[in-house]
Amino acid sequence: IIYLRPETAQGIFVNFLNVQKTGRMKIPFGIAQTGKAFRNEIVARQFIFRMREFEQMEMQFFVRPGTEMEWYNYWKETRMKWHKSLGFGDENYRYHDHLKLAHYANAACDIEFNFPFGFKELEGIHSRTDFDLKAHEQHSGKKLQYFDPELNQNYVPYVVETSVGLDRLFLATLSK
């Protein structure tokens, strides 16, 4: 039996305190990476749009609890501006706000692109709350809390994630 990682984000969560402390980072701050992710439920039929193995570019942006929706909206708008700056035409992009949320999220949307086969997800933006850091705390027994000097208190940060499929971005470039 072989298990492949379904997302690249968990490495960021495990190393959150290492990055925060060595970089002397103050919240809000983000950690970004590119890496391989895998989907074992995929039926490979849609060229490079749906593959079992793909490159993912992610950023986990750590914020003070209670400010996550402000940052979620900021990243939603900022990422859309970035996509539109590529010059493929504003009419080729739209938001798809999720009505049914993942168990870890309190908000989620996709930036969709008008591929030759219709509008499909290009990037996901999710407010992941403090689910991941708290789950790692619980299972590792190690605290993953941030000391906020402005509030003079410790807390587990909330996270806003942006996640782009590099292969899908390449396909969007090829199709326009």
mmCIF file of all heavy atoms in Angstrom, residues 7 9-10 13 60 104 128-138 144 156-157 159 161:
data_model
loop_
_atom_site.group_PDB
_atom_site.id
_atom_site.type_symbol
_atom_site.label_atom_id
_atom_site.label_comp_id
_atom_site.label_asym_id
_atom_site.label_seq_id
_atom_site.Cartn_x
_atom_site.Cartn_y
_atom_site.Cartn_z
ATOM 1 N N GLU A 7 -2.517 16.990 -0.795
ATOM 2 C CA GLU A 7 -2.279 18.441 -0.852
ATOM 3 C C GLU A 7 -0.886 18.713 -0.310
ATOM 4 O O GLU A 7 -0.286 17.878 0.360
ATOM 5 C CB GLU A 7 -3.330 19.204 -0.052
ATOM 6 C CG GLU A 7 -3.354 18.856 1.415
ATOM 7 C CD GLU A 7 -4.405 19.647 2.182
ATOM 8 O OE1 GLU A 7 -5.412 20.074 1.601
ATOM 9 O OE2 GLU A 7 -4.184 19.844 3.389
ATOM 10 N N ALA A 9 -0.238 21.463 1.592
ATOM 11 C CA ALA A 9 -0.365 22.409 2.708
ATOM 12 C C ALA A 9 0.153 21.891 4.036
ATOM 13 O O ALA A 9 0.653 22.665 4.853
ATOM 14 C CB ALA A 9 -1.825 22.831 2.872
ATOM 15 N N GLN A 10 0.017 20.607 4.306
ATOM 16 C CA GLN A 10 0.308 20.119 5.655
ATOM 17 C C GLN A 10 1.761 20.336 6.074
ATOM 18 O O GLN A 10 2.037 20.566 7.251
ATOM 19 C CB GLN A 10 -0.110 18.659 5.789
ATOM 20 C CG GLN A 10 -1.606 18.445 5.630
ATOM 21 C CD GLN A 10 -2.456 19.389 6.482
ATOM 22 O OE1 GLN A 10 -2.201 19.597 7.660
ATOM 23 N NE2 GLN A 10 -3.479 19.969 5.866
ATOM 24 N N PHE A 13 1.944 23.688 7.671
ATOM 25 C CA PHE A 13 1.393 23.738 9.031
ATOM 26 C C PHE A 13 2.353 23.136 10.048
ATOM 27 O O PHE A 13 2.533 23.675 11.131
ATOM 28 C CB PHE A 13 0.035 23.041 9.088
ATOM 29 C CG PHE A 13 -1.017 23.733 8.261
ATOM 30 C CD1 PHE A 13 -1.695 23.052 7.271
ATOM 31 C CD2 PHE A 13 -1.311 25.068 8.461
ATOM 32 C CE1 PHE A 13 -2.651 23.690 6.505
ATOM 33 C CE2 PHE A 13 -2.267 25.723 7.702
ATOM 34 C CZ PHE A 13 -2.938 25.022 6.717
ATOM 35 N N GLN A 60 -0.364 29.577 2.494
ATOM 36 C CA GLN A 60 -1.133 29.569 3.732
ATOM 37 C C GLN A 60 -0.813 30.901 4.407
ATOM 38 O O GLN A 60 0.340 31.184 4.718
ATOM 39 C CB GLN A 60 -0.739 28.392 4.625
ATOM 40 C CG GLN A 60 -0.806 27.043 3.948
ATOM 41 C CD GLN A 60 -2.158 26.714 3.363
ATOM 42 O OE1 GLN A 60 -3.201 27.012 3.937
ATOM 43 N NE2 GLN A 60 -2.155 26.081 2.202
ATOM 44 N N TYR A 104 -13.531 22.059 7.461
ATOM 45 C CA TYR A 104 -12.535 22.933 8.076
ATOM 46 C C TYR A 104 -12.717 24.402 7.713
ATOM 47 O O TYR A 104 -12.018 25.257 8.239
ATOM 48 C CB TYR A 104 -11.120 22.496 7.675
ATOM 49 C CG TYR A 104 -10.906 22.456 6.172
ATOM 50 C CD1 TYR A 104 -10.691 23.618 5.445
ATOM 51 C CD2 TYR A 104 -10.929 21.252 5.488
ATOM 52 C CE1 TYR A 104 -10.520 23.584 4.078
ATOM 53 C CE2 TYR A 104 -10.735 21.207 4.120
ATOM 54 C CZ TYR A 104 -10.530 22.384 3.416
ATOM 55 O OH TYR A 104 -10.360 22.344 2.062
ATOM 56 N N ARG A 128 -9.606 28.577 6.157
ATOM 57 C CA ARG A 128 -9.501 27.247 6.774
ATOM 58 C C ARG A 128 -9.659 27.289 8.295
ATOM 59 O O ARG A 128 -9.468 26.290 8.958
ATOM 60 C CB ARG A 128 -8.148 26.616 6.425
ATOM 61 C CG ARG A 128 -7.981 26.318 4.945
ATOM 62 C CD ARG A 128 -6.657 25.650 4.649
ATOM 63 N NE ARG A 128 -6.608 24.289 5.151
ATOM 64 C CZ ARG A 128 -6.559 23.204 4.375
ATOM 65 N NH1 ARG A 128 -6.559 23.320 3.065
ATOM 66 N NH2 ARG A 128 -6.493 22.010 4.923
ATOM 67 N N THR A 129 -9.980 28.413 8.851
ATOM 68 C CA THR A 129 -10.073 28.631 10.300
ATOM 69 C C THR A 129 -8.768 28.169 10.959
ATOM 70 O O THR A 129 -7.707 28.294 10.363
ATOM 71 C CB THR A 129 -11.323 27.944 10.929
ATOM 72 O OG1 THR A 129 -11.194 26.528 10.860
ATOM 73 C CG2 THR A 129 -12.596 28.397 10.238
ATOM 74 N N ASP A 130 -8.853 27.647 12.181
ATOM 75 C CA ASP A 130 -7.650 27.166 12.871
ATOM 76 C C ASP A 130 -7.600 25.640 12.872
ATOM 77 O O ASP A 130 -6.868 25.026 13.643
ATOM 78 C CB ASP A 130 -7.601 27.702 14.300
ATOM 79 C CG ASP A 130 -8.811 27.307 15.131
ATOM 80 O OD1 ASP A 130 -9.732 26.639 14.592
ATOM 81 O OD2 ASP A 130 -8.860 27.676 16.317
ATOM 82 N N PHE A 131 -8.377 25.024 11.995
ATOM 83 C CA PHE A 131 -8.543 23.573 11.980
ATOM 84 C C PHE A 131 -7.212 22.822 11.876
ATOM 85 O O PHE A 131 -6.943 21.903 12.654
ATOM 86 C CB PHE A 131 -9.473 23.153 10.835
ATOM 87 C CG PHE A 131 -9.564 21.662 10.688
ATOM 88 C CD1 PHE A 131 -10.413 20.932 11.502
ATOM 89 C CD2 PHE A 131 -8.782 20.988 9.769
ATOM 90 C CE1 PHE A 131 -10.487 19.550 11.394
ATOM 91 C CE2 PHE A 131 -8.843 19.604 9.661
ATOM 92 C CZ PHE A 131 -9.703 18.885 10.468
ATOM 93 N N ASP A 132 -6.385 23.173 10.908
ATOM 94 C CA ASP A 132 -5.155 22.405 10.650
ATOM 95 C C ASP A 132 -4.156 22.518 11.793
ATOM 96 O O ASP A 132 -3.618 21.507 12.253
ATOM 97 C CB ASP A 132 -4.510 22.867 9.340
ATOM 98 C CG ASP A 132 -5.423 22.640 8.155
ATOM 99 O OD1 ASP A 132 -5.462 21.501 7.655
ATOM 100 O OD2 ASP A 132 -6.112 23.592 7.744
ATOM 101 N N LEU A 133 -3.899 23.738 12.244
ATOM 102 C CA LEU A 133 -2.926 23.903 13.327
ATOM 103 C C LEU A 133 -3.419 23.219 14.605
ATOM 104 O O LEU A 133 -2.641 22.571 15.305
ATOM 105 C CB LEU A 133 -2.637 25.378 13.574
ATOM 106 C CG LEU A 133 -1.816 26.074 12.485
ATOM 107 C CD1 LEU A 133 -1.718 27.568 12.759
ATOM 108 C CD2 LEU A 133 -0.439 25.465 12.348
ATOM 109 N N LYS A 134 -4.709 23.328 14.897
ATOM 110 C CA LYS A 134 -5.249 22.671 16.102
ATOM 111 C C LYS A 134 -5.190 21.147 15.979
ATOM 112 O O LYS A 134 -4.900 20.461 16.954
ATOM 113 C CB LYS A 134 -6.673 23.130 16.383
ATOM 114 C CG LYS A 134 -6.720 24.460 17.094
ATOM 115 C CD LYS A 134 -8.089 24.742 17.657
ATOM 116 C CE LYS A 134 -8.008 25.984 18.534
ATOM 117 N NZ LYS A 134 -9.320 26.406 19.012
ATOM 118 N N ALA A 135 -5.432 20.624 14.784
ATOM 119 C CA ALA A 135 -5.360 19.174 14.587
ATOM 120 C C ALA A 135 -3.924 18.684 14.761
ATOM 121 O O ALA A 135 -3.690 17.649 15.393
ATOM 122 C CB ALA A 135 -5.888 18.796 13.202
ATOM 123 N N HIS A 136 -2.954 19.436 14.229
ATOM 124 C CA HIS A 136 -1.550 19.058 14.418
ATOM 125 C C HIS A 136 -1.152 19.161 15.895
ATOM 126 O O HIS A 136 -0.402 18.337 16.394
ATOM 127 C CB HIS A 136 -0.631 19.907 13.540
ATOM 128 C CG HIS A 136 -0.628 19.476 12.108
ATOM 129 N ND1 HIS A 136 -0.104 18.285 11.681
ATOM 130 C CD2 HIS A 136 -1.105 20.086 10.994
ATOM 131 C CE1 HIS A 136 -0.257 18.167 10.377
ATOM 132 N NE2 HIS A 136 -0.862 19.259 9.934
ATOM 133 N N GLU A 137 -1.656 20.183 16.581
ATOM 134 C CA GLU A 137 -1.405 20.302 18.023
ATOM 135 C C GLU A 137 -1.935 19.076 18.763
ATOM 136 O O GLU A 137 -1.238 18.482 19.585
ATOM 137 C CB GLU A 137 -2.123 21.535 18.594
ATOM 138 C CG GLU A 137 -1.323 22.773 18.654
ATOM 139 C CD GLU A 137 -2.025 23.850 19.484
ATOM 140 O OE1 GLU A 137 -3.229 23.745 19.803
ATOM 141 O OE2 GLU A 137 -1.339 24.814 19.825
ATOM 142 N N GLN A 138 -3.158 18.718 18.470
ATOM 143 C CA GLN A 138 -3.809 17.610 19.165
ATOM 144 C C GLN A 138 -3.065 16.291 18.943
ATOM 145 O O GLN A 138 -2.844 15.538 19.878
ATOM 146 C CB GLN A 138 -5.246 17.477 18.680
ATOM 147 C CG GLN A 138 -6.003 16.332 19.320
ATOM 148 C CD GLN A 138 -7.394 16.168 18.733
ATOM 149 O OE1 GLN A 138 -7.798 16.887 17.824
ATOM 150 N NE2 GLN A 138 -8.120 15.204 19.242
ATOM 151 N N LEU A 144 1.196 24.847 18.741
ATOM 152 C CA LEU A 144 1.458 25.604 17.520
ATOM 153 C C LEU A 144 0.769 26.959 17.628
ATOM 154 O O LEU A 144 -0.021 27.349 16.793
ATOM 155 C CB LEU A 144 0.965 24.830 16.294
ATOM 156 C CG LEU A 144 1.721 23.543 15.982
ATOM 157 C CD1 LEU A 144 1.055 22.768 14.863
ATOM 158 C CD2 LEU A 144 3.168 23.859 15.632
ATOM 159 N N VAL A 156 -3.959 30.271 18.514
ATOM 160 C CA VAL A 156 -3.724 29.506 17.294
ATOM 161 C C VAL A 156 -4.237 30.363 16.145
ATOM 162 O O VAL A 156 -5.421 30.722 16.123
ATOM 163 C CB VAL A 156 -4.461 28.149 17.330
ATOM 164 C CG1 VAL A 156 -4.283 27.411 16.010
ATOM 165 C CG2 VAL A 156 -3.949 27.303 18.494
ATOM 166 N N PRO A 157 -3.375 30.722 15.198
ATOM 167 C CA PRO A 157 -3.815 31.573 14.087
ATOM 168 C C PRO A 157 -4.860 30.898 13.205
ATOM 169 O O PRO A 157 -4.908 29.675 13.112
ATOM 170 C CB PRO A 157 -2.530 31.814 13.287
ATOM 171 C CG PRO A 157 -1.421 31.482 14.207
ATOM 172 C CD PRO A 157 -1.950 30.432 15.129
ATOM 173 N N VAL A 159 -6.201 30.610 9.184
ATOM 174 C CA VAL A 159 -5.455 30.515 7.928
ATOM 175 C C VAL A 159 -6.373 30.795 6.748
ATOM 176 O O VAL A 159 -7.481 30.271 6.664
ATOM 177 C CB VAL A 159 -4.842 29.106 7.766
ATOM 178 C CG1 VAL A 159 -4.157 28.959 6.423
ATOM 179 C CG2 VAL A 159 -3.858 28.826 8.895
ATOM 180 N N GLU A 161 -6.126 30.298 2.708
ATOM 181 C CA GLU A 161 -5.318 29.560 1.737
ATOM 182 C C GLU A 161 -5.671 29.986 0.322
ATOM 183 O O GLU A 161 -6.837 30.156 -0.016
ATOM 184 C CB GLU A 161 -5.617 28.060 1.890
ATOM 185 C CG GLU A 161 -5.003 27.197 0.811
ATOM 186 C CD GLU A 161 -5.476 25.769 0.897
ATOM 187 O OE1 GLU A 161 -6.676 25.504 0.647
ATOM 188 O OE2 GLU A 161 -4.638 24.918 1.243
#
